[in-house]
Amino acid sequence: MPELPEVETVARGLTDAILGQTIEKVTNRAPSATVFISPALKADSLHQVLRGREVRSIRRRGKNILINMSGGVTLWVHLKMTGHMFWLPRTTPIGKHDLVLFDFERSLSAPDGWHLRFNDYRRFGRLRVYRTAELAEHPTLVRLGPEPLEVPREEFVRLCRSCRRMIKPALLDQSFIAGLGNIYADEALYYARLHPRRLTDGISARKLGELHGHIQQILQRAIDLMGTSVDSYSGVNGQTGRFQAYLKAYNREGQPCQRCSRLIVREKIGSRSAHYCPCCQRKPA
């Protein structure tokens, strides 16, 4: 699943492509589970509710993309496992996984003959449209934890030490901290030399401060490199990320640790996998 750097890259790509443009037509080829329209909008189709609306702002919250439109309407995008937003020439053949197509009115800022496509071959991604005011109280967004690039070090330490749970599942919990997933949790724990099973309330404030710093540095570098492409992820322009070349733990099972040469192991913790070095990240007693 795309994580914070990948979703941030997509949000920035959408900003470059469609900010300020007005939707002319929406073609929905998606299964009914993919698209949801709030009953408050009293609309039967994406085309009906979005036609004529201007894209006013685009932002990321956790792994969610919120596209705010004129008239107080927001298109909420979650890419899930394999969703993509592609800015493509209209002449590009439409594939069976191109589920929703957005055409925009011609303008000086909109290149003629291009449009936006929501593509998802596993069809887990979701497009939802709400009145913007509704989203301020939507439980899914309200429950999200702080943004890892914005939370102060002291608050992160307090958050971790206020509960007793294993650190890796805690970092994956979107209500604990929003936007992290397997890739960047594994990488941050590797750099901090913390075993993924360490209990949050048993880690020193100094060590949690180090982890906070590594999380922010890793996320920022991954954003600078347009994310990590280890499966199907690519940005709005179709380019893949480059951070996979710098991974130290994630997806390196059976390869030597770049610090001590011990082999990286993969272990299931809860329902998710964790990659770590058994020497540098010693298992708690």
Side-chain angles (χ1 to χ4, degrees):
M1 178 183 293
E3 301 179 28
L4 187 155
E6 292 76 50
V7 180
E8 179 67 23
T9 299
V10 172
R12 293 182 183 187
L14 289 173
T15 298
D16 291 341
I18 66 172
L19 184 65
Q21 295 196 44
T22 299
I23 293 178
E24 180 179 63
K25 179 182 177 183
V26 182
T27 304
N28 182 9
R29 308 168 66 241
S32 58
T34 299
V35 175
F36 173 81
I37 301 171
S38 169
L41 291 167
K42 299 179 180 179
D44 297 324
S45 69
L46 280 177
H47 174 74
Q48 182 182 349
V49 73
L50 295 181
R51 181 176 180 271
R53 297 190 187 273
E54 179 186 343
V55 179
R56 294 284 176 82
S57 67
I58 302 168
R59 68 184 180 94
R60 177 195 57 77
R61 177 69 174 105
K63 300 178 185 179
N64 305 277
I65 298 172
L66 303 174
I67 304 174
N68 295 322
M69 310 257 185
S70 57
V73 167
T74 295
L75 174 61
W76 175 5
V77 180
H78 199 303
L79 301 174
K80 295 291 185 180
M81 298 294 293
T82 57
H84 298 83
M85 300 296 286
F86 288 136
W87 182 241
L88 294 169
R90 295 185 193 185
T91 54
T92 304
I94 298 173
K96 65 178 181 179
H97 303 306
D98 292 327
L99 304 183
V100 182
L101 286 66
F102 301 86
D103 292 304
F104 297 87
E105 295 179 0
R106 296 181 182 181
S107 69
L108 293 177
S109 62
D112 188 24
W114 288 66
H115 66 183
L116 183 68
R117 299 185 190 181
F118 174 69
N119 174 287
D120 188 359
Y121 73 87
R122 295 185 71 177
R123 305 194 174 198
F124 292 153
R126 294 291 180 265
L127 301 183
R128 291 169 277 192
V129 185
Y130 286 89
R131 292 200 180 278
T132 303
E134 287 184 89
L135 289 182
E137 300 177 354
H138 195 285
T140 299
L141 296 177
V142 169
R143 284 196 297 262
L144 288 175
E147 289 286 330
L149 286 171
E150 298 174 6
V151 63
R153 178 174 301 214
E154 296 76 12
E155 175 62 18
F156 177 78
V157 172
R158 186 204 63 76
L159 185 67
C160 290
R161 304 202 77 186
S162 67
C163 62
R164 182 177 177 82
R165 57 193 303 193
M166 289 185 289
I167 186 64
K168 173 67 185 287
L171 294 178
L172 298 183
D173 182 350
Q174 298 302 293
S175 66
F176 185 80
I177 191 162
L180 291 179
N182 260 347
I183 297 173
Y184 302 104
D186 280 352
E187 291 299 295
L189 291 172
Y190 174 85
Y191 276 95
R193 297 176 182 258
L194 285 169
H195 192 281
R197 289 187 181 273
R198 284 285 300 273
L199 296 178
T200 53
D201 65 347
I203 303 172
S204 70
R206 179 188 62 81
K207 202 66 174 174
L208 288 171
E210 289 180 17
L211 176 61
H212 173 270
H214 289 307
I215 289 172
Q216 294 198 335
Q217 291 168 13
I218 290 166
L219 290 177
Q220 190 55 63
R221 189 177 188 202
I223 291 171
D224 292 342
L225 293 172
M226 298 179 64
T228 302
S229 294
V230 292
D231 187 10
S232 64
Y233 161 74
S234 59
V236 170
N237 58 5
Q239 292 183 355
T240 56
R242 305 190 302 279
F243 189 72
Q244 61 272 14
Y246 302 94
L247 294 174
K248 305 295 184 184
Y250 180 80
N251 211 33
R252 296 192 68 247
E253 178 186 6
Q255 298 181 48
C257 168
Q258 295 179 20
R259 282 191 298 233
C260 72
S261 298
R262 284 283 295 274
L263 299 185
I264 298 293
V265 300
R266 177 176 175 267
E267 179 181 339
K268 194 169 186 179
I269 298 177
S271 61
R272 306 292 294 277
S273 295
H275 302 79
Y276 64 93
C277 171
C279 179
C280 297
Q281 298 167 263
R282 294 192 180 279
K283 198 168 188 175

